[in-house]
Amino acid sequence: MRSILITGGNGGLGLAIGRYFLNHDPEARVWLGVRTKRNQAAILAEAHAARCHLLDLEVTDPAAWQSAVAQILGADGRLDVLVNNAGMHRDCLLAAMPAESWHQVISSNLDSTFHGCRAAVAPMMRQRSGRIINIASLSAILPPLGQTNYAAAKAGVVALSRTLAKEVARSGITVNSILPGYIETEALGAMDDETRKQAQRGIPMRRFGKPAEVAAAVYFLASPDAAYITGAALKIDGGIF
Ligand code: NDP
């Protein structure tokens, strides 16, 4: 049995990652962290009743992390994989950016990753094994205008991952980050047709990625075959440089 916690379980990527583990690993027990009981995650949990569970997890709240991890350890006795996937953006040029947008984006993307890693590392160190995969963004290295908050948060996620990778390398724990480019989820829902076409013209493969294409990479990084990969930052973006 492998116990897997994925945050942002109601979102497009979180659901795809959960589904991927459930479909490819019959031994996987998937915990989907959600802050609202929206139907998407609930439907997946119902379809895999014995192996998939919803967990209340507001990722900016350290106490919520402690109780979520305690619940998993109580049920499974271990935590093998943490996927810090929850996140959001509030784009705005810096000159006009309300301080609240700055703090909200830093908190939901970067503080959340800190709280999650800290909560997961203790049981993983006791087990002397674990896999942490942090979902950053291509914006961490190629930021578009209007994302000072999001780019700073996601660059922080990459730096946190690389540093933590060194700290826990001798405890059998790997820590990697993934930098998706444009992936077809609700997060891209606000784009009009012309903006979509323009964005696709900037991608060498001329298409957006599918959530399952990110999920496959997460699954690999969580596998025994990826035991020697740590501190990596993997771009998944159809070839944008
Ligand atoms: P979605 O907006 O579809 O999903 C994001 C999920 O994160 C939602 O379920 C949301 O919860 C949850 N979430 C946000 N803030 C919190 C919080 N404070 N506590 C608990 N849950 C929270 O986006 P994606 O699935 O596309 O994105 C997943 C990750 O991938 C994010 O980190 C995003 O930044 C990153 N990413 C996505 C890209 C894309 O093109 N789609 C590109 C690059 C990176 P709720 O449902 O309650 O709102």
Side-chain angles (χ1 to χ4, degrees), residues 2 4-7 17 21 80-86 113 117 124 130-136 157 161 164 173-179 214-215 217-223 226 229 232 234 236:
R2 266 203 307 173
I4 293 130
L5 169 57
I6 303 159
T7 67
I17 295 166
F21 274 97
D80 298 290
V81 180
L82 168 64
V83 185
N84 279 309
N85 163 74
T113 303
C117 289
M124 287 179 176
R131 294 278 190 274
I132 298 177
I133 296 120
N134 294 324
I135 306 298
V157 169
S161 307
L164 180 60
I173 304 168
T174 66
V175 187
N176 293 291
S177 51
I178 287 187
L179 284 61
V214 176
V218 172
Y219 187 82
F220 171 67
L221 289 172
S223 75
I229 302 176
L234 178 63
I236 303 181

Side-chain angles (χ1 to χ4, degrees), residues 75-100:
D76 293 348
R78 52 191 299 113
L79 174 60
D80 298 290
V81 180
L82 168 64
V83 185
N84 279 309
N85 163 74
M88 47 93 82
H89 57 94
R90 288 278 175 279
D91 296 1
C92 181
L93 296 178
L94 182 140
M97 184 179 288
E100 190 198 346

